[in-house]
Amino acid sequence: MDEPNSESGLRSKMKAIWRNEFAKTLILIGIIAAGTLAFRIVLVLALKTEYPLQTPVTGSMEPTIHVGDLLIVQGGLNPEYDIMEGDIIVFRNPSKPQELVVHRVIEKWREDGKWYFKTKGDNNPISLPFERKIPEDYIIGKVIWRIPYLGYIKMFLGTPLGMVVGILLIALFLVIENILPSRKEEAKEKSQTQNKDDHKS
């Protein structure tokens, strides 16, 4: 007997929460954040790399790839068959493993049972010292797609200023969502009051 009442009570509470503009905005932001996270997880699983999206920060690959381009990276590659001379790869800088580099393969060879690669930026006259012998286990993946300019958003949001701007935009959105409905209600009440006064006169 109590179950229908509890269900209707829960529905009433949910409706009350959804009518609250502030709560509704927080829920929508949560859905967007969860969707973004889910999208990244799908990319990681589909492309078989922890770094499915990359953006070059230097012009070393121009005119093929420009600063601010968004690169789609395919991981999980067999270095023998899937990476050839001419491919553009993303790899860890052997002298600074935390730094990722996007350059073109110009030579590959097998040594002591392991594949090694030599790369060069299209805009560089020669290979840099750190990229003359890159082991296969330093390779993140191969660039399979390029989207112009979209990488600027990724670059900006990854900076402290970008994070602050993002938080401020969310805060502004919350304020607007809560102020505008109340202003509309005030205007509506004022209009109704004026109409009543007009009818009385």
Side-chain angles (χ1 to χ4, degrees):
M1 295 293 291
D2 292 333
E3 286 183 12
N5 291 334
S6 62
E7 284 180 13
S8 61
L10 181 61
R11 284 198 202 101
S12 299
K13 286 178 182 177
M14 294 296 290
K15 285 179 182 177
I17 291 171
W18 190 248
R19 285 193 201 102
N20 183 303
E21 293 297 328
F22 183 77
K24 190 196 297 186
T25 303
L26 287 179
I27 291 168
L28 290 174
I29 289 171
I31 291 170
I32 292 168
T36 304
L37 180 61
F39 176 68
R40 189 186 183 285
I41 291 171
V42 168
L43 280 180
V44 167
L45 293 174
L47 297 172
K48 299 176 182 178
T49 173
E50 284 292 316
Y51 307 94
L53 302 176
Q54 287 299 305
T55 303
V57 294
T58 72
S60 64
M61 277 300 294
E62 292 183 352
T64 311
I65 294 173
H66 300 278
V67 174
D69 288 349
L70 185 66
L71 307 177
I72 313 299
V73 182
Q74 175 69 61
L77 305 175
N78 183 321
E80 183 175 2
Y81 303 109
D82 298 329
I83 304 174
M84 300 296 173
E85 291 180 19
D87 288 338
I88 299 172
I89 62 171
V90 180
F91 60 93
R92 294 186 186 279
N93 181 338
S95 58
K96 297 177 185 175
Q98 73 279 4
E99 178 184 289
L100 300 184
V101 182
V102 181
H103 277 178
R104 190 182 299 279
V105 175
I106 59 172
E107 190 180 340
K108 64 180 285 190
W109 68 96
R110 193 170 176 84
E111 185 179 315
D112 298 327
K114 183 184 282 191
W115 284 95
Y116 291 87
F117 299 84
K118 182 179 180 181
T119 65
K120 185 180 82 68
D122 288 0
N123 200 30
N124 293 345
I126 60 171
S127 295
L128 300 173
F130 70 81
E131 60 179 332
R132 290 172 186 165
K133 191 177 182 180
I134 303 159
E136 61 181 61
D137 47 334
Y138 272 64
I139 294 175
I140 300 298
K142 179 168 66 175
V143 176
I144 58 172
W145 198 258
R146 176 183 71 91
I147 306 173
Y149 308 116
L150 201 58
Y152 279 117
I153 298 171
K154 180 178 179 291
M155 288 167 65
F156 181 66
L157 292 177
T159 64
L161 177 62
M163 292 177 69
V164 170
V165 170
I167 292 168
L168 288 175
L169 286 174
I170 291 172
L172 180 64
F173 181 69
L174 287 171
V175 169
I176 290 171
E177 279 288 303
N178 285 283
I179 287 176
L180 287 182
S182 59
R183 291 275 172 87
K184 286 178 183 176
E185 287 296 323
E186 288 174 10
K188 187 178 178 182
E189 287 176 9
K190 189 175 180 181
S191 175
Q192 288 174 348
T193 304
Q194 191 173 0
N195 288 337
K196 285 179 183 177
D197 292 341
D198 291 340
H199 284 307
K200 285 180 182 177
S201 59

